[in-house]
Amino acid sequence: MKTIKAIKMKVTPITQRLLVPVLVVFLGFSSCKKDIRDVEWNNTGVSNNNGTSVGLTEDEKLRQINISIPAQIVKTAVDGSTLKLVYTEDLSALLDPKGYDLSYSIRLNEDFSASALNGLQYTTPGPNGTYTTGWHGNDLKVLSEVTKTDAVVNGKTMVKLHLLRTFTFTKQFASAQEAVNQQNTLLNTKTDAVKFTSYVVFGKDYPASTATAALVYTK
């Protein structure tokens, strides 16, 4: 097997002048790669760090929703052999005022599949002290738990929709001790999350925005 020797290049004033433009081009490509890596992707297009959407039509950009979500709190309690998990849904959605007006509805869907809440029976508060089992509204334009205000973002006035409501999930165990054991397990769980998908409906379903928030279990 032949040994490959390293090639040494003597740097002269001429080679220095030739290397400069090559380095400039290389650094330029490196910068472009960094910009691409910093881009935040969602399932409908690309949003850069300035919040400007690309990959969408102007009509779609007008109706794009920016979801802001803090960590979501789930308060745990044991009642006999029943484990109660009271989840407080707390999030905000920003939308262009014109896009808001040109919307029939603004849908919000939750995905609990990456959490212990998945598949559990739940109730939500209804009007006049009533409760609904296994169903909840998902139109941010008509939900009574939504507060609509104006918010200024980068000098532009946006519609801000703030949703605050609770879900009470329950799980029955064979004994109170089993319920307590599950409660303690959840209190030490750090990986559960809920995924949100929101989109405008106006003659069609517009591209959705997605966001994921951690679930924090407390007593």
Side-chain angles (χ1 to χ4, degrees), residues 199-216:
Y199 59 94
V200 164
V201 177
F202 189 70
K204 66 175 184 178
D205 291 353
Y206 278 80
S209 298
T210 63
T212 301
L215 288 177
V216 179

Side-chain angles (χ1 to χ4, degrees), residues 1 31-32 41-42 47 55 57 78 83 91 114 118 160 217-218:
M1 179 182 295
S31 299
C32 290
W41 289 83
N42 58 35
S47 296
T57 67
V78 174
L83 176 62
L91 63 87
N118 189 47
K160 180 180 180 180
Y217 298 96
T218 66

Side-chain angles (χ1 to χ4, degrees), residues 179-198:
V180 170
N181 292 343
Q182 180 62 21
Q183 179 189 35
N184 291 332
T185 297
L186 291 178
L187 292 174
N188 291 301
T189 298
K190 308 297 182 185
T191 57
D192 279 14
V194 54
K195 180 179 180 180
F196 297 91
T197 302
S198 187

Side-chain angles (χ1 to χ4, degrees), residues 52-198:
T52 304
S53 303
V54 296
L56 302 176
T57 67
E58 292 302 318
D59 186 49
E60 291 169 341
K61 291 178 185 178
L62 188 66
R63 293 170 173 82
Q64 189 177 37
I65 301 168
N66 184 355
I67 308 172
S68 175
I69 313 174
Q72 305 287 282
I73 305 301
V74 182
K75 189 171 183 180
T76 69
V78 174
D79 183 6
S81 59
T82 300
L83 176 62
K84 292 186 176 181
L85 305 169
V86 181
Y87 161 57
T88 299
E89 186 173 51
D90 182 4
L91 63 87
S92 296
L94 290 173
L95 184 66
D96 186 283
K98 187 175 180 181
Y100 177 86
D101 292 338
L102 293 175
S103 64
Y104 171 74
S105 64
I106 300 174
R107 302 295 182 181
L108 175 75
N109 296 319
E110 304 90 351
D111 180 1
F112 294 107
S113 61
S115 77
L117 302 179
N118 189 47
L120 297 185
Q121 182 178 352
Y122 68 90
T123 61
T124 55
N128 303 319
T130 62
Y131 285 85
T132 302
T133 300
W135 180 90
H136 61 281
N138 70 343
D139 185 354
L140 296 180
K141 291 199 79 170
V142 300
L143 287 176
S144 59
E145 300 93 344
V146 172
T147 302
K148 176 177 173 287
T149 58
D150 290 337
V152 178
V153 180
N154 295 328
K156 178 177 175 57
T157 300
M158 305 286 284
V159 170
K160 180 180 180 180
L161 304 174
H162 180 220
L163 172 63
L164 185 64
R165 62 180 172 181
T166 59
F167 297 72
T168 301
F169 293 83
T170 57
K171 185 174 183 179
Q172 188 71 36
F173 290 85
S175 67
Q177 187 58 54
E178 288 185 16
V180 170
N181 292 343
Q182 180 62 21
Q183 179 189 35
N184 291 332
T185 297
L186 291 178
L187 292 174
N188 291 301
T189 298
K190 308 297 182 185
T191 57
D192 279 14
V194 54
K195 180 179 180 180
F196 297 91
T197 302
S198 187

